Amino acid sequence: MRFFLFAWLTLLQVVLAVPPPDGRKYPRPWFPIWRTVTVTAQGEPAAATGTCVAVTGDSSSSTASKRSHSIPFGSPGWTTERPSVIISTRSDSGSEAEQTIQVVSEESPDGDTTLFSDETSPASGQQPASSTGSGEVAPEVTPTPEVVTQPASPTSSTQPTSTTDLGDTNTVSVITSVNPSGTLQILPTDVPIESTNTGTIPTDAPSSGYPTSQPLITSPIPSPTELISATASVPTDQPSAPSETVSMVVPNIFAAPISTDPPPSQIPQRKDHPAPRIGIKSAGPIGTNKFYNNFFLGNQTSPSYLFPYSVTWARGGGASGTWGMAISHVDANQRVYGQNDPGSGAARYYINPIGIHSVCLSAKELGPGTVLTSDNLTDFSSLVSLRAREGGQAVIQFPLVQGAGFVTGVYNGGQPVVQTGIFFKTVTRASKEAKEGVVKYRLHLEDGTTWLVYAYHTKGEGLNLQVVNNGRAESTGPFYGIIQVAKASDGESEKVYDQACGTYAVGVDLSGGVNGKTGAYRFGFRKQGMYQSPVAQFALPHHLSSFDDGTRGKVTGVKLQTPTKGVAYLVLADSWTMVETELPTGIGFLPWSPEAGEVKGLSEGVRSFVKGVALQEVSQDMLQQSDQNSMYFSGKFASIILVIRDMLGDEALALTALNQLKQAFARFAENRQQFPLVYEGGWGGVVSSASYVTGNSGADFGNSYYNDHHFHYGYFILTAAIIGHLDPSWIPANKAYVNMLVRDVANPSAADQYFPVWRNFDWYHGHSWAHGLFDTLDGKDQESSSEDTMASYALKMWGTVSGDQNLAARGNLMLAVQARSLNSYYLYTESNTVQPKNFIGNKVAGILFENKVDHTTYFGTNIEYVQGIHMLPLLPHTPMVRRKEFVREEWDAYFSGGRAEQVTGGWKGILMGNYGTIDPRGGYDFFSGGGRGGEFKGEWLDGGRV
């Protein structure tokens, strides 16, 4: 009669009197010598003893084999019996102890099944072990559904082996002995390895493509040799440019393209670009300043930040050694802070560790030949595929969307592998499906975190994981469907994830409209999977504060820390609607304040003083001063002419200066500047030829690699708006050129096949990213928040004067969103609850990356540089964003008590102009000849461009 018995064993160790010589601490105590263990199962003797143990349930059997696998609950051959195991142990001193324990790999009280556990105390509901020995119990193991017999010596010992090449020595193999009457799986808990849950901190500052010069021209501007004469005649029938209508109603400001025409003929076209398109399957323009860029830059292994999760293609390396996708989430207590500034007491930076592989989704088919490709690249999403070989079918596809509640892998017949670089503490399969067809696993990791894995199969069998070792679990067969990973933030979050599992977003449809001073924008999530379930997406703080009532009601209590934008909350909804009720429709070209509105009138004394300065400014050689080797320095001359006409009322002088400005602008519109623009079809955009000519990726501030386009082109767009305002007849001949610049940085529609949608402005984050096609570990970044809003203001004003109502409305909405988001993420008052308390004393971010915030600049660490880069340029919309409360706190922290006098050059002009927003008289006193801030010098105005 054949008995089918199943037994379990733990390998018990003894604590040596002498600790490890290197004093290293491990997750469990490490003992360098295995004890000899003899096992009797159900009263029958074990087959062998040795450094590790082979166990059989029938001593009459002459065959045994060893495999590396585990057994899912409920599979054929599973038994609910709990055989006792008698373990006799012999210590080094020769004494013996006998222990009877109960097998622990079975259903828990709630019906769940623990597939693996390295716990050293009895599980809940389990009978405690009675022993005169160590008191440890066996790790939880599950029986196998298959019986494999191979000839083997019954006295040979089983050594740690694995049927899979793990590619990583920092794991421990599961040992399973199988014969016709018994199966044993062993995973030692006391091993000489450490959980890698701390990650690494990049210490080298990125340099490629980053500007290292000041954003101000520091060479002296010669004084004019003679003053300009007002020679222009003022036409009596000059038409007026369109003005903004406060009552305008636009139903969907994102629907229509600006244009679908090719770039103007004076812009040459070429198909090459110095940055290759690595693994990109999409045709047409590609977003160059997006969260997913690292997947096709460098060696494709730098993280992409979804918020709150980050994902990394480990490419066979890192803590897990996976060839799949590594998923990470960093809590606030894992951050690293820089030294405290002696003056403010605030940390100089904070950064989140990278390289933590909490949970990895892979497949057995993936290995050294794996290639990563990117497709369906949009402004919010991308589809990343892992293929076993070049040209092969996708084994796993990852639809990555900003704010994703789950990281989702789509399998089409591959054999899933779930890995971790932190190591499993327990792996449990829920006894009940989360939904029909959705299997759920709980992964408790050695760092104390809990991750949930949901598997929704669309055909074939459900996901059946077997634990191979404490870093790896494999499916028993191919899988068709999706596997989703989420971090459980607390005990209640699992219930929320259960509601949303099986559904995932693959993209976002952006729409919006305005009605007077109220604007709204909507994220409509394109979803797949179980369509009846809501989409789970994380909302950032600026979303939460602007949600309409319907969306606010769908916010759950599930929250996770983001890398640099506070705490995100999970929302279960197929769409979000955000509302802004203070669109800056009343802000035009003239000075503006929240209290007084638009300021037009000047006293006679102020008018006289300003006119004298203005005459000096417009008498300078604009044509020569604008002839620079960078687009960034060349588009900042128009405001003084606007003041002359609209505030001083001198139309003749204004038109005389305007004619010179038109000539200077024509050099660029005709593409005759030092480094002409080119349209390159590799990525789809208009770039400086500087890097093509010089071979230097950082030339022209990296413009050729798509750095800073909204800064560079924003100044030209604003200049064009002012020219068009002063002379509407100029618009038709120049509209195509200016619109080309607008389309490059802020194209709203995929119908435009020449430019990607929203290159710079990120509607999920609520601000722009300046960083272009350069691979960096900390993701995208932006330095100047004020120039970010300048670009939005430029779009608003060009849309207004050119008659593009949609563009004007988008500019207004962007400014309102930025006023909200920047005051959470970039500009810090004492009441800020988003950024770390020990960082908000810096008052401004400095450089904000996706993964860190560094209170510095790329061109120097002077405090006026760091604070000033978030001030310049000072424009009518500035008080809307840089609010009085913030400006006062910043001034008191850094520049009060005479410290402003220590600032020199153009930076003092910026600083005192900013001070004027809280003390208009004090600001005027400085610029009119002295007072607070010290003596003013006219050359600090940088040729009228600040």
Side-chain angles (χ1 to χ4, degrees):
M1 182 176 181
R2 175 172 297 178
F3 296 95
F4 291 89
L5 304 176
F6 299 95
W8 289 259
L9 172 72
T10 187
L11 195 57
L12 303 179
Q13 302 171 324
V14 294
V15 180
L16 298 183
V18 180
D22 60 356
R24 191 179 182 192
K25 296 180 180 178
Y26 301 105
R28 295 286 185 269
W30 172 43
F31 313 107
I33 298 178
W34 295 94
R35 289 197 293 178
T36 301
V37 181
T38 304
V39 175
T40 301
Q42 297 274 353
E44 300 179 47
T49 62
T51 55
C52 288
V53 182
V55 178
T56 65
D58 185 350
S59 61
S60 64
S61 172
S62 60
T63 60
S65 66
K66 55 190 178 184
R67 292 171 58 91
S68 293
H69 63 278
S70 65
I71 313 308
F73 170 71
S75 57
W78 176 271
T79 178
T80 57
E81 297 179 7
R82 297 182 63 178
S84 60
V85 181
I86 309 299
I87 301 181
S88 298
T89 63
R90 183 181 300 276
S91 67
D92 295 334
S93 64
S95 62
E96 293 187 2
E98 188 173 272
Q99 176 184 5
T100 301
I101 64 173
Q102 290 281 343
V103 176
V104 296
S105 284
E106 62 166 38
E107 288 185 274
S108 64
D110 59 4
D112 297 342
T113 304
T114 300
L115 303 181
F116 159 65
S117 173
D118 71 350
E119 298 285 1
T120 57
S121 59
S124 175
Q126 173 190 327
Q127 293 295 326
S130 60
S131 171
T132 57
S134 67
E136 293 186 355
V137 297
E140 301 186 19
V141 188
T142 53
T144 178
E146 59 181 333
V147 175
V148 179
T149 60
Q150 294 179 0
S153 169
T155 59
S156 62
S157 62
T158 58
Q159 301 298 324
T161 60
S162 172
T163 58
T164 303
D165 181 7
L166 302 179
D168 183 6
T169 59
N170 200 29
T171 57
V172 178
S173 296
V174 174
I175 308 156
T176 305
S177 295
V178 183
N179 69 26
S181 59
T183 303
L184 175 69
Q185 185 179 34
I186 307 170
L187 200 158
T189 65
D190 301 316
V191 292
I193 56 178
E194 287 186 280
S195 170
T196 52
N197 64 342
T198 56
T200 59
I201 299 296
T203 56
D204 294 330
S207 56
S208 272
Y210 285 88
T212 55
S213 58
Q214 292 191 36
L216 305 179
I217 296 178
T218 56
S219 56
I221 302 296
S223 299
T225 56
E226 59 181 349
L227 298 180
I228 192 173
S229 298
T231 57
S233 59
V234 180
T236 57
D237 58 347
Q238 180 174 334
S240 299
S243 59
E244 193 168 27
T245 304
V246 174
S247 61
M248 69 176 173
V249 177
V250 183
N252 186 3
I253 59 179
F254 299 95
I258 296 168
S259 171
T260 57
D261 295 336
S265 59
Q266 67 268 30
I267 308 298
Q269 298 192 21
R270 57 192 303 166
K271 296 182 179 180
D272 62 325
H273 190 275
R277 291 167 49 127
I278 302 173
I280 294 178
K281 297 296 183 181
S282 293
I286 302 297
T288 54
N289 300 60
K290 298 301 179 185
F291 73 96
Y292 48 71
N293 288 168
N294 280 339
F295 282 123
F296 45 72
L297 297 173
N299 64 2
Q300 302 179 278
T301 59
S302 291
S304 284
Y305 299 92
L306 304 180
F307 279 68
Y309 299 112
S310 65
V311 291
T312 308
W313 183 34
R315 206 167 187 170
S320 66
T322 186
W323 288 95
M325 193 71 72
I327 304 163
S328 176
H329 172 263
V330 176
D331 285 310
N333 59 10
Q334 294 174 270
R335 286 173 176 158
V336 174
Y337 291 89
Q339 291 180 334
N340 291 339
D341 182 87
S344 67
R348 292 179 175 174
Y349 64 83
Y350 72 86
I351 184 172
N352 300 281
I354 64 172
I356 300 175
H357 296 180
S358 294
V359 179
C360 311
L361 291 184
S362 186
K364 293 191 73 173
E365 292 81 359
L366 301 180
T370 302
V371 295
L372 182 148
T373 61
S374 300
D375 203 351
N376 296 354
L377 301 165
T378 76
D379 46 334
F380 288 89
S381 61
S382 67
L383 180 65
V384 174
S385 300
L386 293 176
R387 306 168 190 268
R389 63 185 182 281
E390 187 71 44
Q393 294 296 313
V395 177
I396 320 174
Q397 293 184 298
F398 296 90
L400 302 178
V401 179
Q402 288 175 294
F406 298 96
V407 177
T408 300
V410 181
Y411 289 77
N412 191 28
Q415 193 165 347
V417 174
V418 178
Q419 294 169 268
T420 175
I422 297 179
F423 304 136
F424 302 131
K425 196 171 187 179
T426 63
V427 177
T428 303
R429 175 172 173 167
S431 61
K432 296 180 181 179
E433 293 184 333
K435 294 176 181 175
E436 184 177 357
V438 180
V439 176
K440 178 172 67 175
Y441 292 85
R442 299 184 193 91
L443 311 180
H444 298 283
L445 305 185
E446 288 286 356
D447 63 354
T449 61
T450 299
W451 292 73
L452 304 173
V453 175
Y454 295 89
Y456 169 49
H457 63 281
T458 54
K459 69 175 183 178
E461 299 295 324
L463 181 66
N464 209 353
L465 286 179
Q466 60 180 17
V467 178
V468 176
N469 59 43
N470 59 350
R472 182 183 181 102
E474 297 177 355
S475 171
T476 57
F479 181 77
Y480 295 86
I482 63 170
I483 300 178
Q484 298 180 289
V485 176
K487 183 179 182 181
S489 57
D490 55 40
E492 294 300 312
S493 62
E494 185 172 341
K495 297 177 183 178
V496 178
Y497 288 121
D498 285 354
Q499 297 179 52
C501 66
T503 303
Y504 58 100
V506 297
V508 180
D509 292 320
L510 174 64
S511 59
V514 300
N515 185 356
K517 296 189 68 174
T518 298
Y521 60 110
R522 179 180 181 272
F523 296 165
F525 299 108
R526 299 195 300 273
K527 67 178 183 179
Q528 292 186 5
M530 294 179 151
Y531 288 97
Q532 68 273 23
S533 300
V535 175
Q537 292 284 128
F538 278 99
L540 300 179
H542 78 281
H543 298 136
L544 295 167
S545 62
S546 61
F547 276 159
D548 71 349
D549 291 340
T551 310
R552 190 176 298 111
K554 296 176 182 178
V555 178
T556 73
V558 178
K559 58 184 179 180
L560 287 176
Q561 182 71 45
T562 70
T564 54
K565 293 202 164 70
V567 175
Y569 279 78
L570 193 69
V571 184
L572 300 188
D574 289 347
S575 66
W576 299 352
T577 298
M578 284 70 64
V579 180
E580 296 293 345
T581 59
E582 295 296 330
L583 298 190
T585 54
I587 298 177
F589 287 111
L590 299 181
W592 176 91
S593 74
E595 297 81 13
E598 189 173 72
V599 178
K600 294 182 180 179
L602 299 175
S603 68
E604 190 56 39
V606 171
R607 186 189 304 273
S608 176
F609 174 75
V610 172
K611 185 172 183 179
V613 174
L615 184 60
Q616 291 283 333
E617 289 292 312
V618 297
S619 296
Q620 294 174 356
D621 189 344
M622 293 185 194
L623 198 62
Q624 181 271 329
Q625 288 186 32
S626 63
D627 187 14
Q628 302 292 331
N629 63 0
S630 170
M631 292 286 289
Y632 180 74
F633 290 125
S634 302
K636 310 174 185 177
F637 292 88
S639 295
I640 190 66
I641 303 174
L642 179 78
V643 170
I644 292 173
R645 196 194 79 168
D646 289 2
M647 298 191 74
L648 301 181
D650 192 336
E651 291 195 34
L653 179 61
L655 289 179
T656 301
L658 179 61
N659 289 334
Q660 294 190 29
L661 179 60
K662 290 177 181 178
Q663 294 180 46
F665 195 97
R667 175 193 285 122
F668 295 90
E670 296 166 7
N671 211 28
R672 295 182 288 104
Q673 65 267 36
Q674 291 186 27
F675 289 116
L677 298 180
V678 299
Y679 176 84
E680 65 84 20
W683 298 96
V686 175
V687 299
S688 167
S689 59
S691 293
Y692 287 98
V693 174
T694 66
N696 176 12
S697 63
D700 198 355
F701 296 95
N703 180 297
S704 302
Y705 284 72
Y706 292 98
N707 276 5
D708 300 352
H709 275 205
H710 58 317
F711 300 162
H712 294 196
Y713 302 160
Y715 282 115
F716 275 87
I717 296 166
L718 180 56
T719 296
I722 294 174
I723 296 175
H725 168 69
L726 297 173
D727 181 7
S729 66
W730 176 88
I731 295 175
N734 292 276
K735 190 172 184 178
Y737 173 78
V738 179
N739 276 348
M740 175 193 71
L741 302 181
V742 174
R743 292 161 66 191
D744 182 85
V745 300
N747 166 36
S749 171
D752 186 344
Q753 294 297 301
Y754 289 94
F755 299 92
V757 175
W758 295 107
R759 184 187 308 283
N760 291 100
F761 193 78
D762 189 322
W763 283 93
Y764 178 75
H765 283 276
H767 63 80
S768 300
W769 297 111
H771 182 98
L773 293 174
F774 296 94
D775 172 34
T776 55
L777 293 172
D778 288 317
K780 297 301 179 185
D781 72 81
Q782 180 173 253
E783 190 172 48
S784 179
S785 61
S786 48
E787 288 180 301
D788 186 5
T789 63
M790 173 276 298
S792 301
Y793 173 71
L795 297 176
K796 159 190 164 71
M797 300 316 297
W798 172 248
T800 299
V801 303
S802 67
D804 189 335
Q805 193 176 33
N806 285 340
L807 179 57
R810 289 194 299 271
N812 274 325
L813 184 57
M814 291 166 70
L815 282 171
V817 172
Q818 286 167 313
R820 182 183 299 274
S821 68
L822 297 182
N823 279 280
S824 289
Y825 312 138
Y826 273 92
L827 312 175
Y828 315 138
T829 62
E830 290 300 319
S831 61
N832 187 290
T833 59
V834 174
Q835 296 293 5
K837 289 186 179 298
N838 61 334
F839 191 78
I840 62 174
N842 289 310
K843 310 319 297 178
V844 301
I847 309 171
L848 185 140
F849 295 76
E850 289 179 285
N851 190 53
K852 72 179 178 185
V853 188
D854 197 346
H855 190 241
T856 187
T857 74
Y858 284 118
F859 53 90
T861 59
N862 290 19
I863 195 61
E864 64 267 26
Y865 297 173
V866 185
Q867 307 303 125
I869 198 63
H870 296 279
M871 298 177 188
L872 67 83
L874 301 171
L875 292 167
H877 75 279
T878 298
M880 170 191 177
V881 180
R882 293 176 57 85
R883 299 162 182 163
K884 279 192 172 183
E885 178 187 5
F886 163 76
V887 175
R888 171 64 68 186
E889 288 188 19
E890 182 186 36
W891 176 268
D892 291 344
Y894 288 107
F895 303 111
S896 63
R899 285 175 290 174
E901 297 180 13
Q902 301 171 12
V903 180
T904 60
W907 292 103
K908 180 171 284 189
I910 295 166
L911 173 65
M912 295 309 301
N914 178 68
Y915 175 75
T917 63
I918 56 173
D919 182 1
R921 184 68 201 184
Y924 174 78
D925 287 346
F926 169 76
F927 285 104
S928 61
R932 182 187 291 270
E935 182 182 358
F936 169 74
K937 297 181 181 179
E939 61 266 25
W940 289 349
L941 287 181
D942 189 26
R945 282 169 284 185
V946 175

